[in-house]
Amino acid sequence: MSEAIDINVAARKLAKVDNVLILCHKNPDGDTLGSAGALYWALHSLGKKAAVFCSDPIHERYQYMELEQFYDQFEPQYVVAVDIAGTQLFGERSAKWADKVDMCIDHHGSNTGFADQMLLDATAAATCEIMYTLIVTMGVEVTGRMADCLYTGVSTDTGCFKFANTTASTHRVAARLIDLGANLQMLNELLFENKSKERIAVEQLALSTLEYHFEGCCALICLTRDQIAKIGADEADLEGITSLPRSIDGVLVGITMRQQPGGSYKISVRTKVGLNATEIVRGLGGGGHAQAAGCEIFGGLDYAKAAILAEAGKALEGRIPPRQPEKQPAGERQDHAPEG
Amino acid sequence: MSEAIDINVAARKLAKVDNVLILCHKNPDGDTLGSAGALYWALHSLGKKAAVFCSDPIHERYQYMELEQFYDQFEPQYVVAVDIAGTQLFGERSAKWADKVDMCIDHHGSNTGFADQMLLDATAAATCEIMYTLIVTMGVEVTGRMADCLYTGVSTDTGCFKFANTTASTHRVAARLIDLGANLQMLNELLFENKSKERIAVEQLALSTLEYHFEGCCALICLTRDQIAKIGADEADLEGITSLPRSIDGVLVGITMRQQPGGSYKISVRTKVGLNATEIVRGLGGGGHAQAAGCEIFGGLDYAKAAILAEAGKALEGRIPPRQPEKQPAGERQDHAPEG
């Protein structure tokens, strides 16, 4: 079992050690890489040897972190895991370190406590939020490059300050990082403006299949295996596409159908607050949360679609508004404001 | 000419007046409405009469501000304009007040100074950023509803903290507003998650016309008048669609062609940093900024497309990378990290 430590203990410990191996979780994201990068540069600024290792390749968009990758250039004397909630997240090439972690720095309340010591703050929106305070506590002067790394984690783990985990503290850390020289323009372009050509093709495909049902209260998209293969999209390109149908004004139930290897359809249901997604899939053997649930339907596309729409229709009973008049072009629109 | 005043003078002035008419700019956005709403509730909490007027209808998504709209329920003794940079932005139904504005509160450096007194801070990302400090300076306790109004302006005018105008101060104000009870979950869903059905149809159309040129360094979309009319899209639904082509990985020049009433094509060119958009349109009689420029080309679609692509090709000379190998499916990808 792990010993829980606070930020002062962690800072004192890191000040003492050398030859530090910093481990990221597999399928590395902005928060695990940003945390590793900031810690790497902080240790480097104290004259220590350190390097970063990740089981999976690091996307080229994170090049600006200038991470020194570990390739046995020193014998690790101290192993730190950042943003890793459990040993199953190490990945094949890091697995040998999983029972040798001296300190884990993390913000996942679900952390399994695999490290000797653990600096955990489940109220932090990102591990980078903790890392910022840790580096300051270590007495390290935060450079522009460290600020870039830390801003990366804080902004990506909160969907650029939009997700429910965003707190006042997240914004305060972001403000400090901007003061310290984080290159906002570069980071926002790299992290939020750009989409891969495959992602764009997935959105194109999804929108081309968009159907409205129940007077626009339900939107449905459908992706087949052939279509996804033709695009060459991987899971990262498909991430979050299930939130597209619900994001449309007036849509209370968003449905995404995705063909599976056996020919069945995996159904993702997303609902607006006030409508329970789990209740929609329960009759079809599915489950989930209040606003996000899923099920799998065996049978052809038409059968699967009819089955899920029947359930959606039941859930929408009494919620479907009367037919709206056509939207009028700007300039001829009726004015709802009282006359002045 | 307007007298420039600071926040203390503005706060003292507002503490003295009553029966205040607060004016928003036409086509009202989150910042002009949020500023007006916060000021309305601040004056209300001081026991004053106030009301908000806007020449155009207010979108129902802003209902939570619970603005009291002006319908001659009192004789205005003091007129405040918020987020209005010039009298051309009043709109038809507000025009009669344009030369009677006692105070303008704004963040546009281009403000024409039409008001008697002007509280202007061009470094603020949003007028709501100024309004927050003003309300605190007035000695008003900021309520959750005021915080909702102010967060609306700060977040929408910065594209949720992504645009280049975002500063450390913007994040600090956001942090304070969250402390004061801004309902982040509701606001993020209303302001950033939802898109109109017409906007979705515009994106569907734009993506269905997407073409890549010059080895993917240039992306082009094209919208005709018939297509836009069929969707029933207004200017708000089309806003920002010109940034779509440039947002794709590897695209250095994004081009949007939009058919005009006379049959000509309006061309919007957006470039990544390092490539000058204005140089691309100069030969076609256009102009603009380094990363955003435009021109109009008379002639048919094929002619217009060939003309702008020829200019884009010239600008991209020496920038087009050699043909990339096809993307490999996940799992078979080559590992670029050094072996551990």
Side-chain angles (χ1 to χ4, degrees):
Chain A
M1 201 45 211
S2 213
E3 179 199 355
I5 56 172
D6 69 17
I7 215 136
N8 295 306
V9 173
R12 279 197 300 272
K13 186 80 199 176
L14 290 168
K16 278 185 211 146
V17 298
D18 204 346
N19 296 328
V20 181
L21 174 62
I22 306 167
L23 298 174
C24 296
H25 64 67
K26 65 181 182 181
N27 301 321
D29 62 6
D31 195 27
T32 196
L33 293 171
S35 301
L39 181 57
Y40 166 76
W41 285 108
L43 294 169
H44 190 265
S45 80
L46 297 172
K48 296 173 190 293
K49 270 192 199 146
V52 175
F53 189 76
C54 181
S55 193
D56 292 320
I58 295 169
H59 194 287
E60 61 179 20
R61 88 163 62 90
Y62 300 112
Q63 263 177 3
Y64 58 87
M65 293 186 183
E66 299 188 66
L67 300 175
E68 182 180 336
Q69 297 203 37
F70 182 70
Y71 54 92
D72 289 330
Q73 65 269 55
F74 57 79
E75 185 60 42
Q77 288 170 18
Y78 197 78
V79 179
V80 181
V82 290
D83 198 43
I84 306 186
T87 51
Q88 76 283 6
L89 298 169
F90 277 74
E92 205 181 317
R93 296 169 63 226
S94 297
K96 62 180 170 189
W97 303 106
D99 61 352
K100 296 184 183 68
V101 178
D102 297 292
M103 186 190 297
C104 179
I105 305 166
D106 191 21
H107 73 125
H108 296 98
S110 59
N111 194 297
T112 59
F114 58 87
D116 284 354
Q117 295 189 308
M118 177 159 69
L119 174 61
L120 180 89
D121 178 0
T123 70
T127 297
C128 277
E129 213 177 301
I130 307 167
M131 190 61 77
Y132 165 72
T133 312
L134 178 60
I135 289 176
V136 170
T137 309
M138 285 163 70
V140 170
E141 194 186 332
V142 179
T143 62
R145 185 154 40 194
M146 291 181 214
D148 284 346
C149 291
L150 294 167
Y151 185 89
T152 299
V154 168
S155 62
T156 56
D157 254 29
T158 57
C160 206
F161 310 99
K162 261 200 291 286
F163 295 163
N165 59 346
T166 309
T167 67
S169 161
T170 319
H171 280 285
R172 289 203 170 89
V173 170
R176 284 295 298 140
L177 295 173
I178 296 170
D179 286 339
L180 292 162
N183 187 344
L184 275 195
Q185 200 185 345
M186 172 197 76
L187 294 169
N188 284 328
E189 186 172 305
L190 280 172
L191 302 172
F192 300 108
E193 207 197 323
N194 283 6
K195 295 179 180 181
S196 71
K197 290 193 167 72
E198 292 78 14
R199 171 65 184 200
I200 287 283
V202 167
E203 293 185 9
Q204 190 177 36
L205 169 63
L207 287 173
S208 75
T209 69
L210 177 67
E211 297 174 3
Y212 293 109
H213 296 273
F214 307 116
E215 301 297 328
C217 290
C218 173
L220 180 148
I221 59 175
C222 181
L223 308 171
T224 69
R225 283 170 52 76
D226 276 358
Q227 290 167 327
I228 293 172
K230 197 174 158 199
I231 288 169
D234 59 22
E235 287 306 317
D237 298 319
L238 287 155
E239 199 183 317
I241 198 74
T242 52
S243 65
L244 192 155
R246 182 183 54 185
S247 75
I248 304 169
D249 271 350
V251 171
L252 302 176
V253 180
I255 299 173
T256 302
M257 303 183 59
R258 201 171 147 197
Q259 195 186 28
Q260 298 302 298
S264 65
Y265 279 85
K266 202 178 127 192
I267 315 277
S268 303
V269 175
R270 301 287 180 270
T271 54
K272 295 252 165 80
V273 173
L275 217 72
N276 194 319
T278 302
E279 280 176 21
I280 294 175
V281 298
R282 189 175 289 140
L284 299 163
H289 307 277
Q291 262 60 67
C295 63
E296 190 169 357
I297 304 183
F298 294 84
L301 172 61
D302 291 344
Y303 173 80
K305 194 188 283 186
I308 187 67
L309 283 175
E311 296 299 323
K314 276 187 234 166
L316 283 166
E317 246 168 56
R319 302 289 299 266
I320 302 170
R323 220 170 256 266
Q324 293 291 312
E326 293 290 313
K327 189 174 173 182
Q328 295 171 44
E332 295 165 38
R333 224 184 278 167
Q334 277 177 29
D335 200 329
H336 300 294
E339 286 300 320
Chain B
M1 200 47 209
S2 213
E3 178 199 358
I5 56 172
D6 69 17
I7 216 137
N8 295 306
V9 173
R12 277 198 299 272
K13 188 78 198 177
L14 289 167
K16 275 187 215 149
V17 298
D18 203 347
N19 296 328
V20 181
L21 174 64
I22 306 167
L23 298 173
C24 296
H25 64 67
K26 64 182 183 180
N27 300 320
D29 61 7
D31 196 27
T32 196
L33 293 172
S35 301
L39 181 57
Y40 166 75
W41 286 108
L43 294 169
H44 190 265
S45 79
L46 296 173
K48 296 173 189 295
K49 270 193 200 147
V52 176
F53 189 76
C54 181
S55 193
D56 291 319
I58 295 170
H59 195 288
E60 61 179 24
R61 87 162 63 90
Y62 299 111
Q63 262 176 3
Y64 59 86
M65 293 185 181
E66 299 186 65
L67 300 174
E68 182 179 336
Q69 296 203 40
F70 182 70
Y71 54 93
D72 289 330
Q73 65 270 57
F74 57 79
E75 184 61 40
Q77 286 170 20
Y78 197 77
V79 179
V80 181
V82 289
D83 198 45
I84 305 185
T87 51
Q88 77 282 7
L89 298 170
F90 276 73
E92 205 179 318
R93 295 172 59 228
S94 298
K96 62 179 169 187
W97 304 105
D99 61 352
K100 295 184 183 71
V101 178
D102 297 293
M103 186 190 299
C104 179
I105 305 167
D106 191 22
H107 73 125
H108 295 97
S110 58
N111 193 297
T112 58
F114 58 86
D116 284 354
Q117 295 190 309
M118 177 160 67
L119 174 61
L120 180 89
D121 179 359
T123 71
T127 296
C128 277
E129 214 177 302
I130 307 167
M131 189 63 76
Y132 165 72
T133 313
L134 177 60
I135 289 175
V136 171
T137 308
M138 284 163 71
V140 170
E141 193 186 334
V142 180
T143 61
R145 183 155 42 195
M146 289 180 214
D148 284 345
C149 291
L150 294 166
Y151 185 89
T152 300
V154 168
S155 62
T156 55
D157 253 29
T158 59
C160 205
F161 310 98
K162 262 201 291 289
F163 295 163
N165 60 346
T166 309
T167 66
S169 161
T170 319
H171 280 285
R172 290 204 170 89
V173 169
R176 285 294 299 139
L177 295 173
I178 295 170
D179 286 339
L180 292 163
N183 187 343
L184 276 195
Q185 201 185 342
M186 171 197 78
L187 293 168
N188 284 328
E189 185 173 306
L190 280 172
L191 302 172
F192 299 108
E193 208 196 320
N194 284 5
K195 293 179 180 181
S196 71
K197 289 193 167 73
E198 292 77 15
R199 171 64 183 200
I200 288 284
V202 166
E203 292 185 11
Q204 189 178 37
L205 170 63
L207 286 172
S208 74
T209 70
L210 177 67
E211 296 174 5
Y212 293 109
H213 296 272
F214 308 114
E215 300 298 328
C217 290
C218 173
L220 181 148
I221 59 175
C222 181
L223 308 171
T224 68
R225 283 171 52 78
D226 276 358
Q227 290 166 327
I228 293 172
K230 198 174 157 199
I231 289 169
D234 60 23
E235 287 306 316
D237 298 318
L238 287 155
E239 198 182 317
I241 197 74
T242 53
S243 65
L244 192 155
R246 181 182 55 183
S247 74
I248 304 170
D249 271 350
V251 171
L252 303 176
V253 180
I255 298 173
T256 303
M257 302 183 59
R258 200 171 147 198
Q259 194 185 29
Q260 299 302 299
S264 66
Y265 280 86
K266 203 177 126 190
I267 316 277
S268 302
V269 175
R270 302 287 181 268
T271 55
K272 295 251 165 81
V273 172
L275 217 73
N276 194 319
T278 302
E279 279 177 22
I280 294 175
V281 299
R282 189 175 290 140
L284 298 164
H289 307 279
Q291 262 59 66
C295 64
E296 190 169 358
I297 304 182
F298 293 84
L301 172 60
D302 291 345
Y303 174 80
K305 193 189 282 186
I308 187 66
L309 284 175
E311 295 299 323
K314 276 187 233 166
L316 284 166
E317 245 168 56
R319 302 290 298 267
I320 302 171
R323 219 171 257 264
Q324 293 290 314
E326 294 291 311
K327 188 175 173 180
Q328 295 170 43
E332 295 165 37
R333 223 183 280 167
Q334 278 177 28
D335 200 329
H336 300 291
E339 287 301 318

